[in-house]
Amino acid sequence: MNLFAVSIYWDLPVLLVVVSIVYSATRHDRWDRIFREAFRWGTQIAGFLALVGVGLYLLSTYL
Amino acid sequence: MPAPEETEPRKLDWLAALLSYLLPGLGQVLQGRIAKGVLFFVSLYTLFFYGMALGAMKNVWLPPKAVTAPLPEVDIGYRNTSIFKAEGALKSLAYRPQFLGQFWIGAAAWPAVLQYLADTPPDNPQQGLPIVGRYMATPPDEELQRLQRDGNKRWDLGWVYTLIAGVLNLLVIYDALAGPAVKDDEEVEKAQADANAKKPEVVS
């Protein structure tokens, strides 16, 4: 698997960062809380996507 | 610590909400939350135009009557009984529901509304509006097919990004209207102190 190939997955970080930070900023007014919650959401979304990605990779490779 | 529900509800700021619809974050700037307003503006415009760029700037439009007139009617009903027939802009939205989400980015999506109102046809590349030209006009079918076929899924990913930007701006509009969803401790304490100050003193 060539990770550096031109892939739509390289466009995902923009979406991930914007969704996390905008959502968190609509929940809090204090910057420390905005960034803390944005980081939490960002890692959770990235983790979920990675889990789905690994699942699909395993399915397509071994099934 | 007092529970948030013990404090009075915030006053709704309709002007700020309207401004945040026009330009993401403008309402927050009006309210003095300048850095937050700028954050919203930069984040949402980045996502919206990044999405448009992924789709060769041709994934935000609302099909005009010239396009939808020959298409089958959109009839919502139960069995043989018609309940609602979509016409005009509703028919256009039925054929391009993505625009229902993209619209909420505000002024950035207005060229699509202008193109719809001007009934700009997709099949004449020379015909466009003054200033905006054919920006956000309905693309011809052949071009759409080419973009989808050759775009390595990026054309579709692009409209998803623009749609998410529009829907996220609904949260920003609500933040301008009623403040952040979670009240910070300082705000709760201040409201509680104000309420206590208003209470008459009990004389024993």
Side-chain angles (χ1 to χ4, degrees):
Chain A
M1 187 168 55
N2 184 6
L3 275 178
F4 294 98
V6 179
S7 159
I8 58 168
Y9 297 111
W10 290 112
D11 298 311
L12 283 178
V14 178
L15 181 69
L16 203 145
V17 168
V18 170
V19 168
S20 305
I21 209 152
V22 170
Y23 177 71
S24 305
T26 59
R27 287 182 62 76
H28 297 284
D29 254 350
R30 277 177 46 178
W31 286 100
D32 57 331
R33 292 186 184 185
I34 290 172
F35 287 125
R36 199 166 54 208
E37 185 151 332
F39 181 76
R40 190 170 64 86
W41 273 105
T43 47
Q44 281 182 1
I45 296 170
F48 176 74
L49 288 174
L51 206 66
V52 172
V54 169
L56 289 173
Y57 173 73
L58 292 175
L59 279 174
S60 67
T61 309
Y62 297 108
L63 199 67
Chain B
M1 186 190 295
E5 55 269 21
E6 289 174 15
T7 62
E8 286 183 18
R10 299 187 187 100
K11 285 179 184 167
L12 301 181
D13 192 343
W14 293 99
L15 176 65
L18 178 70
L19 291 175
S20 272
Y21 162 69
L22 289 175
L23 273 185
L26 189 58
Q28 282 79 1
V29 170
L30 177 83
Q31 292 168 333
R33 299 184 289 164
I34 295 168
K36 202 168 157 180
V38 171
L39 174 82
F40 285 142
F41 178 79
V42 172
S43 302
L44 292 188
Y45 266 38
T46 299
L47 187 61
F48 185 79
F49 287 106
Y50 190 86
M52 281 203 73
L54 285 178
M57 308 302 273
K58 284 178 180 162
N59 50 15
V60 179
W61 79 86
L62 185 63
K65 279 180 191 165
V67 175
T68 56
L71 297 174
E73 285 183 344
V74 180
D75 202 345
I76 298 164
Y78 180 69
R79 294 191 174 172
N80 292 329
T81 313
S82 173
I83 297 172
F84 177 74
K85 200 174 279 184
E87 286 173 356
L90 289 178
K91 188 177 180 185
S92 297
L93 281 171
Y95 277 102
R96 187 69 188 159
Q98 292 93 325
F99 191 72
L100 205 58
Q102 293 165 336
F103 172 78
W104 294 103
I105 196 67
W110 284 3
V113 179
L114 290 177
Q115 301 286 6
Y116 166 80
L117 293 173
D119 214 8
T120 309
D123 46 6
N124 185 357
Q126 306 303 322
Q127 197 175 337
L129 292 174
I131 301 172
V132 291
R134 290 192 56 83
Y135 178 62
M136 291 192 183
T138 307
D141 274 347
E142 302 76 38
E143 192 171 14
L144 284 178
Q145 287 161 8
R146 182 184 59 77
L147 286 167
Q148 286 181 297
R149 188 182 59 240
D150 304 338
N152 189 24
K153 303 182 193 75
R154 279 199 161 78
W155 183 84
D156 284 298
L157 191 69
W159 72 250
V160 174
Y161 278 28
T162 58
L163 191 152
I164 291 174
V167 174
L168 277 177
N169 199 35
L170 283 174
L171 295 180
V172 173
I173 292 168
Y174 187 77
D175 177 84
L177 177 71
V182 179
K183 287 185 178 181
D184 288 330
D185 298 341
E186 290 82 358
E187 189 185 356
V188 173
E189 282 163 15
K190 185 176 177 300
Q192 195 67 27
D194 290 347
N196 288 338
K198 281 181 189 169
K199 278 183 189 169
E201 284 185 23
V202 180
V203 180
S204 56

